[in-house]
Amino acid sequence: MIGQTEDAKNANFINGLDVQAAHDTINAIKSDKSLAKFQFRAKNRWISGGTNQSTIRDFYGAGREDKSRDEDFVFVNGEPPILLGNNEGGNPVEFLLHALAGCVTTTFVLHAMARGINIRELSTQLEGDMDLQGLLGLDDSVSPGYEEIRIKLDVKADCSDEELNDLLAYAEQHSPVCNTVCRPVPVKIERVSA
Amino acid sequence: MIGQTEDAKNANFINGLDVQAAHDTINAIKSDKSLAKFQFRAKNRWISGGTNQSTIRDFYGAGREDKSRDEDFVFVNGEPPILLGNNEGGNPVEFLLHALAGCVTTTFVLHAMARGINIRELSTQLEGDMDLQGLLGLDDSVSPGYEEIRIKLDVKADCSDEELNDLLAYAEQHSPVCNTVCRPVPVKIERVSA
């Protein structure tokens, strides 16, 4: 659980995170669990071929619509020539790796803060294997998704190896993207007309 | 399966995709399944708090290392103030929605091409529900990942509603990101030292 240590509570910032703000959020959620309900959103528009563009801005969380963003985030998916594109952007399965890397990292850093552990450096390298026979419908026994994703995590921190290993196991178990990938999450698609 | 229709084979481009190139790829894979093996990669470096940055460039596919990209793609994860950041970028769970939207779209457009269906417009809206008690470790019965993701897909194309419904079901079943989310995919994390 976030925030057990008195040392952490007394510092202002650990790992670039505002410790008091984190504890305020935790305490608010503990007293009203509905504040933990978040809904994230994206809108995407097809451009041509394997190119499409997402806009991301609003979300719901902590009991209200968030209004902190003045502009949309805009992200472009593309494909390399071997997949019929011109490298207009990273492709969707690469963006998934970016999401996974970021989520494991942020979850690690957040729970390090909660334990009063100062992180000095943290980097990851990800590899994901995929058999395109799945996407192409050439073999129904092949899953179209990633077969496996491997993350190599290099962290330097002011604590023991044992504490780092424990923290990593905890981050893996509590990362939202990691748990969206390693557990089955329902995706419901319906056609609508504007 | 990709590429049954003679009409599709005779056109040069459908939906912005090079039909001949697609068929050449399919035929190459059919004669040597090892060409379908791809490995995608990302490197990520923590910056501070909930901010980190991925670089994406090389990948392996079609029997060789891809060399088509002259520069890295660089993507920044951030967090909104309610999640202890300053909106330095979209956050990881939002990037996952971007990846999912793009993958369903590209899979749809690709298999439309294979069926000779001309797509005029395609857009999606995604919502994903998440209970932050999971991330925060406040309730072990709550999964840290998305509980459910819903996609509303609006498509206009030169074919019947029935054909579109069939195509959508096929895209859902064959999208790599959709199948990484809706099925359990192993994520293996190990610590390394540079």
Side-chain angles (χ1 to χ4, degrees), chain B residues 20-112:
Chain B
Q20 189 57 52
H23 286 287
D24 290 348
T25 300
I26 302 302
N27 288 330
I29 290 175
K30 280 184 185 170
S31 65
D32 180 357
K33 290 182 180 181
S34 74
L35 297 176
K37 298 281 187 191
F38 276 63
Q39 181 182 91
F40 295 99
R41 302 164 188 149
K43 294 179 184 179
N44 185 281
R45 186 175 58 83
W46 175 56
I47 296 172
S48 179
T51 310
N52 57 74
Q53 177 175 298
S54 295
T55 54
I56 289 175
R57 184 166 180 169
D58 56 293
F59 65 89
Y60 178 88
R64 61 187 175 80
E65 286 292 318
D66 184 78
K67 299 292 182 195
S68 69
R69 293 164 170 173
D70 295 329
E71 294 184 346
D72 293 341
F73 293 116
V74 178
F75 308 120
V76 174
N77 284 301
E79 294 289 351
I82 188 75
L83 297 172
L84 309 177
N86 288 301
N87 285 321
E88 301 86 354
N91 76 9
V93 295
E94 291 175 318
F95 272 106
L96 184 139
L97 296 183
H98 164 62
L100 179 59
C103 195
V104 169
T105 296
T106 296
T107 305
F108 191 97
V109 167
L110 175 69
H111 286 285

Side-chain angles (χ1 to χ4, degrees), chain A residues 17-28:
Chain A
L17 295 167
D18 183 329
V19 178
Q20 189 58 53
H23 285 288
D24 290 349
T25 299
I26 303 302
N27 289 331

Side-chain angles (χ1 to χ4, degrees), chain B residues 56-177:
Chain B
I56 289 175
R57 184 166 180 169
D58 56 293
F59 65 89
Y60 178 88
R64 61 187 175 80
E65 286 292 318
D66 184 78
K67 299 292 182 195
S68 69
R69 293 164 170 173
D70 295 329
E71 294 184 346
D72 293 341
F73 293 116
V74 178
F75 308 120
V76 174
N77 284 301
E79 294 289 351
I82 188 75
L83 297 172
L84 309 177
N86 288 301
N87 285 321
E88 301 86 354
N91 76 9
V93 295
E94 291 175 318
F95 272 106
L96 184 139
L97 296 183
H98 164 62
L100 179 59
C103 195
V104 169
T105 296
T106 296
T107 305
F108 191 97
V109 167
L110 175 69
H111 286 285
M113 175 207 72
R115 297 175 185 201
I117 296 172
N118 181 49
I119 307 292
R120 285 181 279 125
E121 294 176 26
L122 200 173
S123 61
T124 52
Q125 294 197 39
L126 286 78
E127 296 176 348
D129 303 322
M130 187 172 289
D131 186 328
L132 254 62
Q133 292 182 93
L135 164 66
L136 298 172
L138 297 175
D139 183 343
D140 284 344
S141 71
V142 173
S143 171
Y146 275 118
E147 297 166 309
E148 177 181 288
I149 299 174
R150 293 172 297 283
I151 305 179
K152 290 181 180 172
L153 183 141
D154 187 2
V155 57
K156 293 173 180 58
D158 297 331
C159 68
S160 70
D161 256 9
E162 192 181 349
E163 286 172 297
L164 282 181
N165 289 338
D166 187 65
L167 183 57
L168 179 56
Y170 196 87
E172 184 173 358
Q173 287 157 12
H174 292 83
S175 156
V177 175

Side-chain angles (χ1 to χ4, degrees), chain A residues 7-8 11-19 109 112-113 116-119:
Chain A
D7 278 355
N12 288 322
F13 280 83
I14 297 180
N15 302 331
L17 295 167
D18 183 329
V19 178
V109 167
M113 174 207 73
I117 295 173
N118 181 49
I119 307 291

